[in-house]
């Protein structure tokens, strides 16, 4: 037998033990509940996101083989000491050993080889494989793949699909980008055609979803890289609406990545309102988002154009998760927060008074992430130390946001495994 057989049988045993409705009908709340039950039983944290991958709610690969700790948690939930103990029990189970799984696997191998040959004829697919998936238990077969998923803007992505057998005329391809005027960029998949192209002009990591009646059938991620750091201006009411007309041309010999309110006024941006500046870079950093150290230095105050409550937001965009830290001036901790993996802290509900920085001086922020544990320091004082759920994957983007204008001195990141570095002085 192979690991895939053991895992499939384990999930079947978990369904039997739970005696809930079929897993195909589970909703978000069911995965959250199961995550809590397994974590409490095994003393091993397993996230709802991981459970969705295991039970096929989220299409990750044709076969998702989780880390050993996850499999240990599943086995312990079933009453075994660890995963290997569960596997040994299956190998002594005559009914399981004589099941048709092994024969079916031979057929799967043959079909897999044929699929690989076909894929090789049309190119390599990145961020996921070609899929043939059964949707909503209705025996509806569809295909959904990308010819490529990484490029520098302007970047046109080609989506190859076949939804001719899906029993609806409103299957949607959602490109994951919101145009500030045209709105959400999505189209109805034409059953008579098999390709749809879309051009990304704003750098970022996007998720392309194939939807039927509001349900996601399949997802693919796209990395639209930037040539260099870019800066965008937003009025408070339109924060996050990226487009070409709110992009700021980088000044020659710019120091501290600083755009004064006077300069912004001179190039047509209104600083007589609450506004934000976002500095962004998207690229393949080849730095592990679960084992890295980041150091940066920043300043925000009224004198240089900050707007009360003065803040500093850092986002570390990884393949699987968006991590963020929001620091505030003293007294504004309601608006502080942090997200690392699936761990979220919010100043609305928790005491984050330590998530603060000093006005009118340079502040040093250090983030160290190692083996799914994170430690944060501000001005050499530890403000957080704890574990987190989910795997971040590699870092693919950085974003720094100020309310009003702020200054950034440098940002350095080091991979703790391979010592690969990214260093930038502004």
């Amino acid at each position: 037998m192979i690991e895939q057989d053991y895992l499939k049988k384990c999930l079947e045993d978990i369904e039997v033990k739970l005696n809930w409705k079929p897993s195909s009908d589970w909703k978000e709340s069911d995965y959250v509940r199961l995550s809590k039950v397994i974590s409490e039983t095994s003393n091993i944290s397993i996230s709802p996101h991981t459970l969705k991958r295991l039970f096929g709610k989220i299409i990750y690969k044709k076969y998702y083989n989780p880390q050993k700790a996850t499999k240990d948690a599943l086995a312990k939930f079933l009453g075994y000491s660890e995963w290997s103990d569960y596997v040994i029990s299956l190998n002594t189970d005559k009914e399981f050993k004589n099941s048709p799984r092994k024969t079916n696997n031979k057929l799967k191998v043959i079909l897999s080889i044929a699929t690989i040959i076909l894929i090789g004829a049309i190119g390599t697919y990145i961020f996921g494989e070609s899929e043939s998936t059964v949707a909503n238990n209705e025996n509806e077969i569809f295909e959904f793949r990308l010819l490529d998923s990484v490029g520098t803007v302007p970047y046109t992505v080609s989506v190859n699909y076949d939804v001719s057998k899906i029993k609806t005329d409103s299957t949607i391809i959602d490109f994951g980008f919101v145009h500030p005027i045209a709105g959400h960029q999505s189209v109805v998949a034409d059953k008579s055609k098999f390709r749809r192209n879309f051009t990304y002009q704003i750098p970022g990591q996007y998720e392309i979803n194939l939807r039927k009646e509001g349900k996601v059938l399949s997802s693919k991620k796209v990395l639209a890289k930037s040539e260099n750091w870019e800066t965008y201006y937003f009025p408070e009411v339109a924060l996050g609406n990226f487009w070409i007309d709110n992009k700021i041309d980088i000044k020659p010999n710019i120091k501290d990545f600083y755009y004064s309110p006077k300069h912004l006024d001179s190039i047509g941006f209104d600083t007589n309102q609450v506004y934000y500046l976002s500095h962004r870079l998207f690229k393949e950093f080849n730095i592990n988002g679960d084992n890295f150290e980041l150091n940066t230095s920043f300043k925000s105050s009224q004198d240089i154009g900050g707007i009360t409550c003065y803040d500093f937001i850092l986002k570390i965009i990884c393949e699987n998760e968006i991590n963020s830290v929001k620091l505030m001036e003293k007294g504004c901790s309601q608006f502080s927060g942090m997200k690392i993996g699936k761990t979220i802290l919010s100043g609305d509900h928790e005491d984050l008074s330590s998530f603060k920085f000093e006005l009118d001086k340079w502040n040093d922020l250090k983030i160290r992430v190692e083996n799914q544990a994170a430690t944060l320091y501000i001005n050499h004082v530890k403000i957080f130390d704890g574990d987190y759920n989910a795997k971040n994957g590699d870092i693919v983007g950085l974003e720094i946001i100020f309310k009003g204008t702020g200054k950034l001195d440098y940002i350095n990141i080091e991979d703790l495994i391979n010592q690969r570095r990214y260093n930038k002085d502004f």
Side-chain angles (χ1 to χ4, degrees), residues 5 22 36 74 91 94 113 127 136 144 154 181 208-209 218 233 279 314 319 364 373 401 416 421:
D5 292 325
K36 183 177 180 181
L74 300 176
N91 286 329
K94 292 183 179 180
I113 292 172
F127 285 94
N136 299 332
F144 185 66
I181 298 176
I208 303 178
N209 290 322
S218 186
Y233 163 97
H279 309 291
L314 167 65
E319 292 172 313
D364 297 320
I401 303 171
L416 299 178
R421 293 177 173 84

Side-chain angles (χ1 to χ4, degrees), residues 31-88:
Y31 288 102
V32 171
R33 181 160 59 128
L34 180 56
S35 168
K36 183 177 180 181
V37 169
I38 293 179
S39 299
E40 289 177 348
T41 303
S42 66
N43 289 320
I44 299 174
S45 180
I46 181 169
S47 71
H49 187 80
T50 295
L51 291 170
K52 288 181 191 176
R53 285 181 172 181
L54 288 167
F55 282 94
K57 185 75 171 180
I58 296 176
I59 303 300
Y60 177 64
K61 294 179 180 177
K62 285 185 178 296
Y63 167 49
Y64 170 47
N65 186 19
Q67 60 183 328
K68 183 179 182 299
T70 297
K71 290 185 283 191
D72 283 342
L74 300 176
K76 287 184 177 183
F77 177 69
L78 292 173
Y80 296 88
S81 61
E82 61 181 3
W83 178 249
S84 60
D85 188 23
Y86 176 74
V87 170
I88 290 171

Side-chain angles (χ1 to χ4, degrees), residues 84-152:
S84 60
D85 188 23
Y86 176 74
V87 170
I88 290 171
S89 74
L90 292 182
N91 286 329
T92 59
D93 184 337
K94 292 183 179 180
E95 183 178 346
F96 177 75
K97 289 178 69 176
N98 295 328
S99 70
R101 298 172 190 269
K102 193 170 183 179
T103 302
N104 290 341
N105 281 331
K106 290 180 180 179
L107 177 59
K108 289 178 182 177
V109 170
I110 294 172
L111 292 175
S112 295
I113 292 172
T115 302
I116 290 170
I117 293 173
L118 177 61
I119 291 174
I122 60 175
T124 301
Y125 301 106
I126 304 175
F127 285 94
E129 303 172 6
S130 170
E131 296 177 1
S132 294
T133 307
V134 179
N136 299 332
N137 297 316
E138 297 175 1
N139 199 32
E140 295 181 339
I141 307 300
F142 65 88
E143 293 183 2
F144 185 66
R145 66 175 75 95
L146 305 182
L147 291 183
D148 194 5
S149 58
V150 179
T152 302

Side-chain angles (χ1 to χ4, degrees), residues 6 9 29 52 90 106 122 134 138 155 161 173 187 200 221 233 272 275 295 320-321 326 375 401 416:
Y6 300 133
K9 181 64 166 62
S29 58
K52 288 181 191 176
L90 292 182
K106 290 180 180 179
I122 60 175
V134 179
E138 297 175 1
Y155 172 50
Y161 67 93
I173 301 176
V187 296
Y200 292 96
K221 286 188 177 178
Y233 163 97
N272 294 314
Y275 66 94
N295 289 274
N320 305 324
E321 300 289 340
K326 185 175 184 181
T375 310
I401 303 171
L416 299 178

